[in-house]
Amino acid sequence: MSKCVPDIRAIFVTCPNEEIAKKLSRGLLTEKLVACINVIPKVTSMYWWDGEIEESTEVLLMMKTAADKVENVIQHVNENHPYDVPEVISIKIDDGSKEYMNWVTDSVPKPQLQ
């Protein structure tokens, strides 16, 4: 592993089921907002909601994209997710395979300057 120049982010989103997870994933990929998405089924989530501790089985999406796409991903998820407050968190990837990191940035188009 070597330090990489591209500013890459991993974004995590939970979904209530696989059907919604795949629909959301296809939309994000079609719009070229992310390079790839891992769909991880059967994640047990425990959290506070309306003053109570809740437990549910969810599907976790782990996405990789360029940093300049994060706001667009958040907007897309918020507009297309059934939860009132969908989980959308972004983590900077500091290190990784140079080839993979370059592939991620090459897979999502750069913003057009106007």
Side-chain angles (χ1 to χ4, degrees):
M1 302 280 210
S2 62
K3 289 289 181 190
C4 297
V5 175
D7 194 0
I8 304 299
R9 303 297 165 94
I11 301 175
F12 298 91
V13 174
T14 51
C15 297
N17 58 53
E18 197 166 331
E19 179 183 345
I20 289 170
K22 287 183 177 180
K23 182 178 179 184
L24 193 59
S25 296
R26 283 188 188 95
L28 289 160
L29 288 162
T30 299
E31 291 188 28
K32 292 202 172 272
L33 296 177
V34 297
C36 67
I37 302 174
N38 302 103
V39 180
I40 306 165
K42 298 182 183 177
V43 174
T44 300
S45 297
M46 298 180 71
Y47 50 92
W48 282 100
W49 189 254
D50 289 334
E52 303 284 331
I53 295 176
E54 298 287 335
E55 181 175 335
S56 59
T57 301
E58 296 181 297
V59 176
L60 178 64
L61 301 179
M62 183 176 68
M63 311 170 195
K64 278 71 72 181
T65 193
D68 61 14
K69 297 295 182 190
V70 172
E71 286 302 318
N72 298 98
V73 170
I74 291 170
Q75 181 179 350
H76 182 93
V77 171
N78 285 334
E79 291 173 357
N80 294 282
H81 201 289
Y83 288 170
D84 292 337
V85 183
E87 172 187 12
V88 188
I89 57 174
S90 170
I91 300 171
K92 183 175 182 178
I93 299 174
D94 292 325
D95 203 6
S97 158
K98 179 181 177 183
E99 294 79 12
Y100 182 81
M101 303 290 267
N102 287 332
W103 171 79
V104 169
T105 57
D106 290 345
S107 295
V108 292
K110 310 294 180 267
Q112 298 296 320
L113 298 176
Q114 296 187 17

